[in-house]
Amino acid sequence: MSTPRNPVVVIPARMASTRLPNKPLADICGEPMIVQVWRRATEAGIGPVLVACAEQEIADAVTAAGGIAVLTDPDLPSGSDRVHQALQTFDPEGKFDAVVNVQGDLPTIDAADIRAVFEPLNDPDVDIATLAAEIKRDEERTNPNVVKAVAAFGTGRVARALYFTRATAPYGDGPLYHHIGLYTYRRAALDRFVSLPPAELEQREKLEQLRALENGMVIAVALVDGVPLGVDTQEDLERAREVLGA
């Protein structure tokens, strides 16, 4: 497979959030959070950016800011399914050959990190790329909410993913890596991924990316310097306001 030449960025967004109601529309420095994420993705300069919206309210906010919004079925089971459906609607001819999936709750993400998740697809054997950062805080090593990417980086910045887990892994001395849920898919890889049934380890660990590994797909992990702020609570929202308002 060749290096993708026509990528697109898709941000999945839905209103349902148990800890922070109406999260995509939460105000951050005068704009809805989803618009702040759209701006960061646009700054990355990878390609067109569209928001895959589960509800009309999100689409209205995005289009009011000048962005592209695609409505999707609100009952889709995952963000990957939402990205896929939006892409099929926006580009039924398949002219975009890779898709960068940026989470809709990362309003402070560095545009360089979005670019970093695209670069591993220069390797023709890679189907999917994602990100990780070295864990610095001891409590994160044993926290099951901090997903670990198991990969052997050596002295490099990109490595093949061998596993993803909520456990503390790998065993022994050495760094552990915090997985960051941004992905780039080759278009054909995304088509295949969403067509596969949920896999055994995926269901056990509650980690969607294990479906790809269990089915023989190659995931590459690129190292970045830190974990972006994900907004899940009111406290996270206040922190994002401080960062972007500074």
Side-chain angles (χ1 to χ4, degrees):
M1 291 180 285
S2 60
T3 300
R5 300 189 180 281
N6 199 18
V8 61
V9 180
V10 184
I11 306 166
R14 64 189 186 105
M15 296 291 276
S17 172
T18 54
R19 290 191 284 177
L20 190 62
N22 301 330
K23 182 163 75 168
L25 302 184
D27 181 87
I28 300 177
C29 302
E31 290 189 312
M33 177 160 60
I34 190 62
V35 172
Q36 293 284 6
V37 179
W38 169 74
R39 293 197 185 283
R40 304 294 89 72
T42 301
E43 290 163 5
I46 290 173
V49 179
L50 55 139
V51 180
C53 309
E55 293 89 7
Q56 186 65 50
E57 303 98 296
I58 302 174
D60 291 344
V62 171
T63 54
I68 302 168
V70 179
L71 276 173
T72 58
D73 182 349
D75 296 324
L76 289 170
S78 73
S80 300
D81 292 290
R82 197 169 310 288
V83 167
H84 183 258
Q85 187 177 92
L87 196 53
Q88 294 297 92
T89 300
F90 183 72
D91 179 36
E93 300 86 13
K95 67 177 182 177
F96 294 105
D97 57 359
V99 54
V100 182
N101 176 353
V102 177
Q103 291 174 309
D105 59 0
L106 300 175
T108 68
I109 190 168
D110 193 318
D113 288 351
I114 300 175
R115 289 191 291 272
V117 80
F118 178 70
E119 291 168 6
L121 265 66
N122 290 327
D123 181 339
D125 294 328
V126 172
D127 298 302
I128 302 168
T130 191
L131 298 179
E134 185 175 340
I135 292 175
K136 303 294 188 182
R137 298 166 60 186
D138 283 344
E139 62 268 27
E140 292 188 353
R141 298 172 73 90
T142 54
N143 184 345
N145 294 316
V146 174
V147 176
K148 286 71 175 183
V150 180
F153 288 98
T155 58
R157 301 283 293 180
V158 177
R160 298 285 177 91
L162 303 177
Y163 193 58
F164 297 91
T165 182
R166 297 182 184 278
T168 302
Y171 176 78
D173 294 335
L176 300 184
Y177 299 100
H178 184 153
H179 178 235
I180 301 165
L182 273 73
Y183 295 93
T184 299
Y185 300 85
R186 293 186 190 275
R187 184 72 175 268
L190 179 61
D191 289 344
R192 183 182 174 212
F193 179 81
V194 298
S195 74
L196 293 167
E200 180 179 344
L201 292 171
E202 170 190 1
Q203 293 175 306
R204 181 168 174 174
E205 292 255 23
K206 296 181 172 55
L207 296 175
E208 187 184 45
Q209 63 270 32
L210 293 177
R211 187 189 318 172
L213 290 184
E214 284 193 66
N215 284 277
M217 301 175 80
V218 175
I219 303 179
V221 185
L223 273 183
V224 293
D225 292 333
V227 178
L229 172 63
V231 175
D232 290 314
T233 66
Q234 187 65 36
E235 291 75 17
D236 296 334
L237 181 60
E238 296 299 336
R239 177 65 184 136
R241 287 168 175 162
E242 290 174 10
V243 171
L244 291 177

